Amino acid sequence: MSKILIVEDEEKIARFVELELKHEGYEVTKANDGRQGLTLAESGDFDLLLLDIMLPGINGIEILRRVRKNSDVPIIMLTARDAVMDKVSGLDMGADDYITKPFAIEELLARIRVTLRKRSSADNQEHEVIHCKGITLDSERFKVTYNGIPIELTAKEFALLQTLMRNKNIVMSRNTLLENIWGYNYIGETNTVDVYVRYLRQKIDEKFGIKVITTVRGVGYVIKDE
Ligand code: CA
C-alpha cells in the first residue's frame, strides 16, 4: 500500500483528498502548514507527496527544493489557477507533475497512479552508477561526486549530466537533450540547454579545474572519455 503525504492548508481540500485517497486504498498523512510538511516530507517515509504551493510557514516550492536535495520521492504540486510561474519553477526544481486547483478528484487520482507507476518501473531497473572523468553519478541515490567530493546539483542539472554520462563519447544535439530532459514542450528552446551546461560547468569544471562537457559547435554537447 502506497503512503501519501498531503501538505495543504485548506482544510476542506485536504480532508476531501484524504477521504478519496483512503477510499482508493492509500495510506494518508496530512500536514496543514509548511514546517510540519517539510519535517514529515524529510522523514523519507512516503511514496508520494502532494504539495500545495501557498502554505503558511514554508511555501511548497521551498519544501520541494529542500526535499529534492536528498530524495527523489515522487512529488505532485497543487497550484492555484494561472500561477504559471509556480508550475514552471516547480517542474524545473524536480516536481514530477502538477495539478491546478480546483481539480476533479478523478484527475488527481489518475496522475497519482501514473506517477507511482512510472517510479516503480524506474525502481525496477538495476542500480545504476556511472563513472567518467573522476565523476561518479549514482542515479538511485541522486548523488554526484568528483573524486569523492559531493557536488550539489538541481534535478535538471542532474538529469542533464546523467544523460551525457550515459551517452559518453556520443554527441548529443540540443534538441535531443531537450526532448529527453525537459519534454517535447521545450523543443526549439535550445538556449535552455546552454544555460544548464553553463550551470554544470560552474559547479564542476570551474570548481575543480577540469573539463567535463565539450561543446561541439553547431551540433551540441558530448562528454569524451577515452
Ligand atoms: Ca494553500
Side-chain angles (χ1 to χ4, degrees):
M1 186 193 302
S2 296
K3 290 187 193 171
I4 298 181
L5 172 66
I6 309 169
V7 187
E8 167 63 85
D9 59 314
E10 282 163 77
E11 184 56 33
K12 262 172 76 178
I13 297 179
R15 205 180 314 143
F16 172 61
V17 172
E18 178 189 28
L19 286 174
E20 293 288 339
L21 291 179
K22 282 185 170 166
H23 184 71
E24 293 293 310
Y26 297 107
E27 223 174 275
V28 180
T29 304
K30 277 188 302 178
N32 59 14
D33 74 75
R35 279 175 206 291
Q36 187 196 7
L38 178 64
T39 306
L40 284 165
E42 284 185 324
S43 71
D45 217 20
F46 298 94
D47 300 304
L48 184 138
L49 313 182
L50 282 179
L51 214 49
D52 183 30
I53 291 184
M54 297 295 285
L55 289 165
I58 303 171
N59 74 47
I61 295 280
E62 181 61 16
I63 295 176
L64 169 69
R65 196 181 68 78
R66 295 207 207 168
V67 169
R68 270 291 171 264
K69 283 187 174 177
N70 310 300
S71 161
D72 66 349
V73 63
I75 298 177
I76 298 177
M77 307 298 292
L78 306 175
T79 72
R81 195 203 302 258
D82 296 335
V84 178
M85 270 318 291
D86 289 345
K87 288 170 201 168
V88 171
S89 52
L91 290 175
D92 190 46
M93 285 199 293
D96 292 79
D97 203 353
Y98 63 84
I99 190 161
T100 307
K101 292 194 276 191
F103 48 80
I105 193 69
E106 291 76 18
E107 191 187 352
L108 179 64
L109 293 172
R111 286 179 188 227
I112 289 173
R113 277 194 299 272
V114 168
T115 304
L116 287 171
R117 198 180 320 131
K118 263 196 217 157
R119 198 53 66 106
S120 77
S121 71
D123 284 350
N124 288 336
Q125 286 169 7
E126 257 178 65
H127 184 182
E128 178 192 45
V129 180
I130 321 172
H131 306 273
C132 74
K133 297 200 160 195
I135 296 172
T136 301
L137 182 143
D138 183 330
S139 298
E140 193 169 294
R141 297 201 178 81
F142 195 67
K143 266 189 178 162
V144 180
T145 55
Y146 175 68
N147 288 338
I149 305 162
I151 302 168
E152 279 205 10
L153 299 180
T154 65
K156 287 286 181 260
E157 290 164 0
F158 185 92
L160 177 59
L161 183 63
Q162 181 184 45
T163 305
L164 287 167
M165 284 178 75
R166 276 178 180 159
N167 296 283
K168 63 187 171 191
N169 300 321
I170 299 170
V171 179
M172 308 284 287
S173 75
R174 290 178 175 82
N175 269 325
T176 302
L177 291 167
L178 275 173
E179 197 175 346
N180 281 329
I181 298 162
W182 282 269
Y184 63 90
N185 281 331
Y186 280 79
I187 293 300
E189 294 178 38
T190 49
N191 180 44
T192 307
V193 176
D194 302 330
V195 168
Y196 278 81
V197 166
R198 198 153 67 231
Y199 292 157
L200 283 175
R201 284 178 172 154
Q202 282 164 2
K203 289 186 175 179
I204 304 174
D205 299 37
E206 287 173 23
K207 190 165 171 203
F208 299 107
I210 54 174
K211 186 168 160 52
V212 179
I213 302 171
T214 305
T215 305
V216 181
R217 271 186 68 187
V219 187
Y221 296 99
V222 62
I223 294 183
K224 290 185 193 162
D225 190 30
E226 275 104 9

